[in-house]
Amino acid sequence: MTAPGRYEEVDLDDLDVEEALALAKEGGAQVPDGSGATEGSPAVPQPSPRGGSREHGENAADGTAAGTADGTSRAHTAKHGHHRATPWPEARALAGRAPRRPDTPVSVSLDAALGLVLAAPLTALTDLPSFDTSAMDGWAVAGPGPWDVRAEGVLAGHAEPEPLTDGEAVRIATGARIPQDVTAVIRSEHGRTDEKERLHATREVVPGQDIRPRGQECRSGDPLLQRGTVVTPAVLGLAAAAGYDTVSALPRPRAEVLVLGDELLTEGLPHDGLIRDALGPMLPSWLRALGADVIAVRRLGDDAEALRKALKNSDADLVVTTGGTAAGPVDHVHPTLRRIGAELLVDGVKVRPGHPMLLARTKENQHLVGLPGNPLAAVSGLLTLAEPLLRALAGRAAPETYTLPLKETVHGHPYDTRLIPVVLREDRAVPLHYNGPAMLRGIAVADALAVVPPGGARPGQELEILDLPWATAGIGVCFT
């Protein structure tokens, strides 16, 4: 007996032809209308074996859907079981509760630690500063002035200089070690020398001024950063200053991308029913920006056996598939998951675009996120399921949610959440055009996605904002 949602492992070789065909036709993803269109299709302007180019039941012009007074089609619900899809907030929360893989912390050099999470607290290995230093270029002086200036100055990086006696001064550079018995440092602009090379202060000298005393920032052994801190450039600087060459960190989750679809081209212009693959080039960089180490990108076409073998042989923490999540004749993801005995955690999400997305546990320490084949629908799946899952695997805390008022009216779906690309201007979210499930023109210039509740949103209404990973952190690094 299997756990709820778990597929029994089935070997198709043991089935007769009719049973195998019946199994292949079973689809866990939901199709919201009877048009035969599936959102798991690639971005094509004409019908394909995977379904139409439009979102199920959506109007291509405004993204709205026809339905009954309560926002649903009774025939649709009865036929396709739409209620089985997981609400969008619940799906994200479930993905964020994925168990941390049992990796032991790794020792990482500072130049490779950016974006990782500290696996142990960072404590100071030395006093900071480790000796009294000058905070300014100027003169180190002892006792009251005027002062006789020594011929040789004190530079940073040199051994401890000779002590000063009362009435003496010495030229000193910022960061240089303070000689013993120094009263203060006079900045270059606050002193002058006379014809006898005697130094005079042009303003009052306060004992200890412009001297950074040893241990001013911390003492050796002081706690600096807690376990779970994300390694930012500033953290790298602090770790280096505190004496570290390496830090103990949690390794990046390892991700593998499986590109499905016989109709995809890797170069050149579309022709003869073939289209360019947008997800193969896009997903690896996006996953890296979300904090993953992408170990492989494999193009499998519409080959159920190749998909099964790829899943069986993968040792990635996260496998991401593209397309094939609906119930078309070449949508092999659900039957293959069933065949290998995977546990289906999310089977469809109440979100547009992207509702046929899925999340499954394929091995004890491996998850699969099945993305729809339409590009913007795939982006929706990334931010709905892959982002919180990778965050949990990397040991990062969830970011604080925030909202911004909407600048213009946005049409909503009658009963599903809708994610739309926006730019952020003067503390407002401005909706972008070209936001259909097969389109990338909007997301390519977007700062974020706005979370539109069922029914739509009006100008001034506060909406939750999902930042795109490069909008604040830069391509290839995740600080979420």
Side-chain angles (χ1 to χ4, degrees):
M1 183 174 180
T2 59
R6 179 175 293 280
Y7 290 129
E8 295 278 4
E9 185 160 1
V10 177
D11 189 341
L12 291 185
D13 295 336
D14 295 334
L15 301 176
D16 64 24
V17 174
E18 289 186 2
E19 290 174 324
L21 287 174
L23 180 59
K25 290 179 180 178
E26 290 180 9
Q30 307 310 312
V31 183
D33 64 15
S35 67
T38 64
E39 188 182 309
S41 62
V44 287
Q46 68 279 346
S48 75
R50 295 171 183 270
S53 61
R54 298 195 313 193
E55 186 82 356
H56 310 312
E58 282 192 346
N59 182 296
D62 62 10
T64 58
T68 60
D70 65 355
T72 64
S73 162
R74 293 185 181 88
H76 150 140
T77 303
K79 182 176 181 181
H80 299 290
H82 176 80
H83 64 281
R84 293 174 53 194
T86 304
W88 182 79
E90 184 181 328
R92 292 196 85 220
L94 196 154
R97 292 195 298 269
R100 168 72 196 171
R101 64 199 193 286
D103 283 342
T104 56
V106 293
S107 180
V108 185
S109 62
L110 296 187
D111 62 357
L114 186 65
L116 298 183
V117 171
L118 294 180
L122 202 70
T123 57
L125 302 180
T126 182
D127 296 343
L128 283 182
S130 54
F131 45 79
D132 294 348
T133 61
S134 176
M136 292 288 174
D137 293 333
W139 296 269
V141 300
W147 301 270
D148 294 321
V149 181
R150 286 183 181 176
E152 294 184 357
V154 180
L155 300 176
H158 289 250
E160 184 175 5
E162 292 293 324
L164 294 183
T165 59
D166 281 358
E168 281 192 307
V170 64
R171 268 285 185 182
I172 194 165
T174 301
R177 190 166 186 164
I178 295 290
Q180 291 183 26
D181 301 323
V182 164
T183 303
V185 169
I186 299 175
R187 301 182 185 190
S188 297
E189 62 268 28
H190 297 162
R192 63 175 179 83
T193 55
D194 59 22
E195 65 279 0
K196 297 181 179 180
E197 290 300 315
R198 289 174 61 81
L199 173 67
H200 300 264
T202 58
R203 61 176 58 187
E204 180 185 3
V205 176
V206 178
Q209 72 182 24
D210 288 325
I211 294 175
R212 293 189 63 212
R214 176 175 181 169
Q216 181 185 52
E217 185 169 1
C218 64
R219 289 289 186 179
S220 180
D222 282 353
L224 300 177
L225 297 170
Q226 297 179 346
R227 182 185 185 277
T229 300
V230 176
V231 178
T232 64
V235 168
L236 293 176
L238 177 60
Y244 286 86
D245 299 317
T246 62
V247 292
S248 177
L250 298 175
R252 285 183 176 85
R254 302 165 77 247
E256 182 172 1
V257 178
L258 304 180
V259 181
L260 311 182
D262 289 341
E263 71 280 18
L264 303 177
L265 292 170
T266 59
E267 60 183 13
L269 296 175
H271 63 87
D272 301 325
L274 303 177
I275 62 169
R276 279 297 297 270
D277 170 31
L279 297 184
M282 179 173 72
L283 291 181
S285 295
W286 206 306
L287 290 167
R288 291 186 188 101
L290 292 175
D293 179 13
V294 179
I295 60 174
V297 178
R298 307 185 193 282
R299 300 179 182 277
L300 304 183
D302 290 319
D303 188 329
E305 182 59 20
L307 177 59
R308 185 191 70 83
K309 289 181 178 179
L311 294 180
K312 281 287 191 180
N313 295 331
S314 175
D315 61 356
D317 303 299
L318 170 63
V319 177
V320 176
T321 61
T322 68
T325 57
V330 291
D331 289 336
H332 298 305
V333 174
H334 278 89
T336 301
L337 291 176
R338 182 177 294 108
R339 186 177 178 187
I340 66 173
E343 181 181 2
L344 197 58
L345 304 175
V346 173
D347 187 7
V349 177
K350 294 180 180 180
V351 65
R352 302 300 176 106
H355 81 92
M357 67 182 74
L358 63 85
L359 172 65
R361 183 179 290 112
T362 48
K363 298 174 185 176
E364 182 179 359
N365 296 307
Q366 183 185 81
H367 289 77
L368 178 143
V369 170
L371 301 178
N374 274 327
L376 189 58
V379 169
S380 175
L382 280 175
L383 295 184
T384 299
L385 297 177
E387 186 277 326
L389 176 63
L390 288 171
R391 179 175 8 100
L393 293 177
R396 295 192 307 271
E400 292 290 331
T401 59
Y402 74 99
T403 63
L404 284 177
L406 193 64
K407 186 176 178 62
E408 302 167 7
T409 296
V410 173
H411 297 292
H413 192 274
Y415 43 81
D416 289 352
T417 299
R418 188 171 176 222
L419 303 181
I420 62 162
V422 294
V423 291
L424 308 182
R425 298 289 184 269
E426 300 178 348
D427 295 327
R428 285 184 174 266
V430 182
L432 293 168
H433 298 292
Y434 305 106
N435 53 30
M439 297 179 179
L440 287 174
R441 283 183 65 179
I443 196 70
V445 296
D447 298 317
L449 291 179
V451 181
V452 181
R458 63 187 183 279
Q461 184 173 339
E462 295 276 340
L463 296 183
E464 181 181 350
I465 301 297
L466 302 179
D467 285 323
L468 300 182
W470 50 82
T472 55
I475 295 282
V477 178
C478 177
F479 297 121
T480 53

